[in-house]
Amino acid sequence: DAGVIQSPRHEVTEMGQEVTLRCKPISGHNSLFWYRQTMMRGLELLIYFNNNVPIDDSGMPEDRFSAKMPNASFSTLKIQPSEPRDSAVYFCATSRGGTDTQYFGPGTRLTVL
Amino acid sequence: DQQVKQNSPSLSVQEGRISILNCDYTNSMFDYFLWYKKYPAEGPTFLISISSIKDKNEDGRFTVFLNKSAKHLSLHIVPSQPGDSAVYFCAASYYSNYQLIWGAGTKLIIKP
């Protein structure tokens, strides 16, 4: 069984550019989480979807960040415009239900110059 | 305010010996605790969990102990193997809540 798939694995962009991160959840998993990991703040939950519906987006830093889940097989996290302080590793994780074990993708390392 | 704390950024242990990783929490409402393991350039991987109704859970070489009165849990790895070298994260949640509160992680280095 394929695990959580994230793309790209690495992204280097310039300040002001739009960045789109992608996630394909494990088949049959109904919950999807986007996390950000930085040295200063550790792992932070950005947004949580259940059955494709955003349930909690209180962790999204500001309006520059948006996330969508158009269907059960795909989610995106978009940053527009990007800033150097957005540089981090972004993880997507999925689970069968909201309280079940979360399985993480390999992450996308974003560098904004 | 950090609700889940891993006070040791790193720990070095001889291969074959016991590794003990510690985690403290401040919120007495937490009733479910997890340990995840993370290798470089990979996402965290679930290792073991414990509910607050237990004080110990064992899975092979890994045992998690929970001391509710001290708000403290620990992960024991016996015997330690080179493949155990990784960053270990402690996380906590309310049993009926999806949100995990994460510690900062402890880097475990197993010396041959």
Side-chain angles (χ1 to χ4, degrees):
Chain A
D1 245 357
V4 176
I5 299 172
Q6 289 188 248
S7 64
R9 293 294 309 275
H10 302 273
E11 177 80 35
V12 180
T13 190
E14 291 190 347
M15 183 173 65
Q17 297 297 307
E18 177 180 296
V19 174
T20 299
L21 311 181
R22 297 172 175 78
C23 175
K24 178 177 169 54
I26 294 171
S27 177
H29 282 198
N30 298 324
S31 295
L32 184 140
F33 307 79
W34 280 102
Y35 286 91
R36 177 172 69 176
Q37 184 185 29
T38 60
M39 289 294 292
M40 290 296 294
R41 300 174 67 90
L43 263 169
E44 303 174 275
L45 178 65
L46 299 178
I47 188 167
Y48 159 54
F49 289 88
N50 191 47
N51 291 322
N52 313 336
V53 176
I55 302 300
D56 181 359
D57 65 355
S58 59
M60 296 286 262
E62 46 198 277
D63 292 346
R64 297 185 297 107
F65 285 69
S66 62
K68 294 183 179 179
M69 191 163 185
N71 57 61
S73 303
F74 185 64
S75 177
T76 59
L77 178 67
K78 187 177 291 186
I79 308 172
Q80 164 64 17
S82 58
E83 296 183 3
R85 60 192 167 120
D86 302 330
S87 297
V89 180
Y90 291 81
F91 290 104
C92 175
T94 70
S95 66
R96 291 189 185 281
T99 58
D100 293 317
T101 300
Q102 295 180 23
Y103 295 84
F104 283 73
T108 296
R109 180 172 293 277
L110 173 65
T111 303
V112 183
L113 303 173
Chain B
D1 182 30
Q2 275 187 300
Q3 297 187 67
V4 177
K5 299 178 185 179
Q6 293 178 258
N7 292 318
S8 298
S10 66
L11 175 68
S12 187
V13 174
Q14 202 74 34
E15 182 179 356
R17 307 292 290 269
I18 182 170
S19 294
I20 300 176
L21 296 105
N22 294 305
C23 179
D24 296 296
Y25 60 96
T26 57
N27 191 334
S28 57
M29 296 294 290
F30 289 146
D31 55 10
Y32 190 61
F33 304 89
L34 307 90
W35 285 94
Y36 277 76
K37 174 180 175 178
K38 184 183 180 304
Y39 292 120
E42 295 185 12
T45 303
F46 171 73
L47 194 56
I48 192 168
S49 63
I50 188 166
S51 163
S52 61
I53 62 174
K54 294 185 173 182
D55 53 20
K56 176 182 172 181
N57 190 25
E58 199 169 349
D59 184 1
R61 296 186 299 113
F62 302 91
T63 302
V64 56
F65 295 93
L66 176 62
N67 182 333
K68 289 185 289 293
S69 60
K71 295 192 181 70
H72 176 83
L73 65 155
S74 61
L75 175 68
H76 292 212
I77 306 173
V78 184
S80 300
Q81 298 176 353
D84 296 329
S85 294
V87 176
Y88 289 79
F89 291 97
C90 169
S93 75
Y94 311 108
Y95 196 71
S96 59
N97 191 296
Y98 57 87
Q99 185 157 15
L100 295 179
I101 309 301
W102 297 82
T106 297
K107 183 175 184 177
L108 176 64
I109 300 164
I110 305 301
K111 298 180 293 187

